[in-house]
Amino acid sequence: MTGSRAALLAVLVLTLSGGCSYSVHGTAVPGAGETTSAPGPTAPGTPRIARPRTVVGVEPCGLLTADDLRSIGAFKKEPARKDDLIQESCQYVLDDGSFAGRTVVAALYQKYQDVRSRQAKGREVVVDGHSAWVFCEVSGGSMACTATLAVNANRSVLVAMTQPGGVEEQMLSVMQPLLKAALNRLPAA
């Protein structure tokens, strides 16, 4: 792993670890989610889950494909598990024309409410009827954005991306189809 990719992955690990708090600045981006709140008859703090999914037996590196990521760039190297940094995760390094490339991580992740509590300054959007908690933060000239999508009462799917000089609204817009693709690859619960 090159120094710049290691630094970008370190930003993601810090972002996801709960050791720091961060915020999403700006307003909702058209296409970044269906709404900025979770309307409907759910209790406060309870995520919307249109169709519960299971993560049992799902391979994290199967959550996204080269076709899903094509709009960002081709693989610079084959996707690889990164369980030592984030449990049940896969790292995709893409050739976006920059020297370091763009890093995307997909993971079978924690309980949605735990992520929401840890990232109190994030915000909720709804993607295909499922609550997604989004957050972006600049660190060392790179933008790191995460989106945690509720898939059942105890688990979520995480998609995270880092980009040198990234712009939050553009990154969240690029991440929405990735969330949908990962959601559609999970079996019904």
Side-chain angles (χ1 to χ4, degrees):
M1 182 180 317
T2 67
S4 61
R5 268 186 264 169
L8 293 175
L9 197 53
V11 168
L12 278 177
V13 170
L14 289 173
T15 299
L16 301 173
S17 69
C20 60
S21 82
Y22 31 75
S23 64
V24 175
H25 305 287
T27 57
V29 178
E34 296 169 6
T35 181
T36 57
S37 64
T42 60
T46 303
R48 288 187 63 177
I49 300 173
R51 183 173 164 223
R53 311 293 174 102
T54 184
V55 298
V56 175
V58 174
E59 166 55 44
C61 287
L63 289 171
L64 299 174
T65 67
D67 283 344
D68 299 329
L69 297 161
R70 184 181 321 268
S71 67
I72 302 169
F75 290 155
K76 268 196 149 180
K77 62 181 186 175
E78 287 300 309
R81 292 285 297 256
K82 292 295 178 184
D83 295 332
D84 56 326
L85 298 173
I86 302 169
Q87 281 289 11
E88 299 183 277
S89 70
C90 184
Q91 178 187 39
Y92 305 83
V93 179
L94 306 167
D95 185 358
D96 66 348
S98 67
F99 175 74
R102 190 181 304 186
T103 301
V104 174
V105 173
L108 305 172
Y109 208 51
Q110 306 162 0
K111 189 174 184 176
Y112 177 85
Q113 288 92 328
D114 293 347
V115 173
R116 184 176 173 157
S117 294
R118 205 171 49 246
Q119 298 177 352
K121 294 182 181 178
R123 66 180 166 92
E124 185 172 275
V125 297
V126 178
V127 176
D128 282 356
H130 291 253
S131 294
W133 196 254
V134 297
F135 149 79
C136 293
E137 176 178 58
V138 175
S139 178
S142 291
M143 175 73 71
C145 292
T146 64
T148 305
L149 185 72
V151 297
N152 65 44
N154 296 307
R155 297 296 296 271
S156 62
V157 167
L158 170 94
V159 173
M161 181 169 39
T162 58
Q163 179 182 354
V167 176
E168 176 183 331
E169 292 81 12
Q170 292 171 350
M171 290 177 66
L172 291 174
S173 184
V174 167
M175 290 170 66
Q176 188 198 16
L178 302 180
L179 286 168
K180 288 181 179 185
L183 177 66
N184 289 331
R185 290 202 174 86
L186 297 177

